Amino acid sequence: MDTLTEITPTVWQLAFPVGHVYLVALPDDGYAVVDTGIPGSAPAVLDALARLGGRPDQLRQIVLTHYHVDHMGSAADLVAATGARVLAGALEAPYIRGSVPEPVPALSPTERSLHEGIMADFATAGMPPLRPVEVDVALHDGDTLDGWAEPVRVLHVPGHTPGGIALHLPESRLLFPGDIMGTSPDGTRVVLGPLNVAREEAIASFRRLATLDAVDTVCVPHGVPLRTGTRDILAAATPETDWL
């Protein structure tokens, strides 16, 4: 059984080997998920929802931070099982819908080795093919999400992909950064996410997120969430030198 960890009274992390999923309780007895894992992850997401006391039809929103396979991978299956609406950055929507080919990331030698290893692991595990999915709500910088228990600010954070988004919940002092940020295995360092289409843009997006007010918890998709000492860890980050 996949590990389900409470981050706050309304946010839980469903940990996967690659690409964590976050479940969020909504005030109408519904739920949202932030990202969906690789293709084939839908049963685990629905099992986690059941462990929280939710039914499939209570999944109202699927928020995709970007189009990569470990984030949108199970969105189509979850939509089919739940009827949830899909929300994503406006510039990501063509890639998520499958109407435009994904841009090729600019990889350093370190990143190329990492990418090759990840793709080999996916192939060995027999990962199902990625299925595109319709985007019901196209999000822009400064938008807010409807239906959540507190204000949720959408931030356009390009660089990892052209239209990636982050979600900032100032009242909870919580951030979903997408792949702009990851953490070291011990959670003592925050690093620039690898495999970016535009490295300098990604670094600028990282710096924007790192200097936000009202952030004590960072729910990264890779690594462990930042929950203690977050301000100091963010201040010590050196994204300019990561993955070179």
Side-chain angles (χ1 to χ4, degrees):
M1 183 178 292
D2 297 285
T3 302
L4 187 63
T5 302
E6 180 178 305
I7 305 298
T8 75
T10 58
V11 176
W12 297 265
Q13 181 204 51
L14 179 61
F16 286 108
V18 177
H20 308 317
V21 173
Y22 289 90
L23 295 92
V24 181
L26 303 178
D28 65 349
D29 293 327
Y31 292 85
V33 293
V34 179
D35 292 324
T36 67
I38 64 171
S41 300
V45 175
L46 293 173
D47 175 71
L49 182 64
R51 282 187 268 162
L52 296 176
R55 304 182 309 273
D57 65 352
Q58 289 175 277
L59 184 61
R60 312 269 194 245
Q61 298 181 14
I62 297 168
V63 184
L64 300 177
T65 59
H66 60 290
Y67 60 73
H68 283 158
V69 66
D70 52 328
H71 293 260
M72 69 164 282
S74 291
D77 289 345
L78 286 172
V79 168
T82 68
R85 295 189 306 157
V86 175
L87 298 78
L91 295 180
E92 296 291 283
Y95 308 111
I96 293 169
R97 292 173 176 139
S99 58
V100 176
E102 294 181 7
V104 177
L107 303 181
S108 69
T110 301
E111 291 175 307
R112 189 170 304 282
S113 176
L114 173 69
H115 184 255
E116 290 172 354
I118 291 170
M119 298 311 293
D121 288 345
F122 286 163
T124 300
M127 183 181 75
L130 178 64
R131 293 172 55 205
V133 68
E134 181 57 46
V135 174
D136 301 296
V137 180
L139 299 169
H140 301 84
D141 191 70
D143 284 351
T144 55
L145 299 189
D146 295 330
W148 289 47
E150 63 178 280
V152 182
R153 182 182 174 209
V154 176
L155 303 173
H156 171 58
V157 286
H160 184 66
T161 61
I165 59 168
L167 304 179
H168 183 209
L169 285 64
E171 289 182 6
S172 292
R173 304 183 65 86
L174 186 145
L175 176 69
F176 296 101
D179 270 354
I180 290 295
M181 290 180 172
T183 60
S184 59
D186 61 3
T188 61
R189 292 183 61 239
V190 60
V191 299
L192 179 71
L195 316 181
N196 300 297
V197 298
R199 178 180 174 87
E200 293 306 315
E201 281 192 356
I203 291 170
S205 291
F206 183 108
R207 289 299 185 191
R208 180 188 183 191
L209 296 182
T211 54
L212 286 172
D213 291 330
V215 174
D216 291 333
T217 301
V218 183
C219 293
V220 293
H222 303 280
V224 297
L226 292 180
R227 304 174 71 177
T228 58
T230 299
R231 300 308 313 176
D232 290 340
I233 292 171
L234 290 173
T238 55
E240 293 82 2
T241 60
D242 291 333
W243 303 106
L244 295 179

